[in-house]
Amino acid sequence: IMLKLDMTLTMCGLLVMVLSITANIIQPAIGYAIDRHDASRLLLGAVPLCGLFICFAGYAPNKPVLFLLCALLGVTVAAIHPLGTSLLGKVAPIRNMGRSMACYIVGGNIGFAAEPVAVMAFLEYYTLEDMPILAIPGLLLGIYCGGMYGGSISAITLNTPGTNSNA
């Protein structure tokens, strides 16, 4: 992408900054909205959208579109974290909440670390234009979970008050 769009290292650094700002700065606002409304169904769309936004970066015809894709990726990442954390509160036993949160965070970090390796391995055999293939597992997972939970993860009620408080 850097060569295709004639980007400098500074421009590539700005892409990372755009992603970081949108992924982190708006998380509190999204978390507030999640607390006020049942927004758990958004998790079913946010995960596949992350994959789509990053995988379509190879199709960006110019720098503004690439920056827009990075910003949209950041928004979906910003949604995943508070949504996942609120879901964790529903499914994890109270006595294991610390361990469950740690596993949630470690899982995200492993995925974040493995992603560049997976992409580079993919690009050894395919082109940037083939990257949307990598979004297929996330799309299938979203469709599967959407069907399983009726389009809303709020259907999961494993840790409701009085039923699992000391599990």
Side-chain angles (χ1 to χ4, degrees):
I1 297 174
M2 184 177 169
L3 297 174
K4 176 182 168 187
L5 297 180
D6 192 33
M7 296 179 66
T8 64
L9 289 176
T10 302
M11 291 296 284
C12 292
L14 287 173
L15 276 175
V16 174
M17 183 188 77
V18 166
L19 173 60
S20 183
I21 286 173
T22 55
N24 294 303
I25 300 298
I26 64 172
Q27 268 191 48
I30 292 174
Y32 176 78
I34 289 166
D35 288 344
R36 296 198 35 104
H37 308 285
D38 177 21
S40 62
R41 67 188 169 279
L42 296 177
L43 187 59
L44 295 173
V47 171
L49 280 176
C50 275
L52 287 175
F53 290 138
I54 197 64
C55 288
F56 277 97
Y59 286 98
N62 52 47
K63 292 173 194 160
V65 171
L66 184 59
F67 274 86
L68 177 63
L69 286 170
C70 281
L72 292 172
L73 173 62
V75 171
T76 57
V77 168
I80 286 172
H81 290 108
L83 285 166
T85 304
S86 67
L87 177 63
L88 189 63
K90 287 179 131 185
V91 300
I94 300 298
R95 67 185 175 132
N96 295 333
M97 189 59 71
R99 184 177 346 148
S100 299
M101 181 61 74
C103 289
Y104 174 75
I105 292 168
V106 167
N109 287 330
I110 290 170
F112 189 74
E115 183 235 348
V117 175
V119 168
M120 293 312 296
F122 180 83
L123 291 175
E124 283 290 318
Y125 300 98
Y126 301 98
T127 67
L128 279 174
E129 288 76 20
D130 295 323
M131 282 206 28
I133 293 169
L134 293 177
I136 292 172
L139 292 171
L140 292 175
L141 181 66
I143 292 167
Y144 173 75
C145 290
M148 180 187 250
Y149 298 113
S152 179
I153 293 180
S154 62
I156 298 174
T157 56
L158 299 178
N159 194 15
T160 56
T163 61
N164 197 23
S165 60
N166 293 317

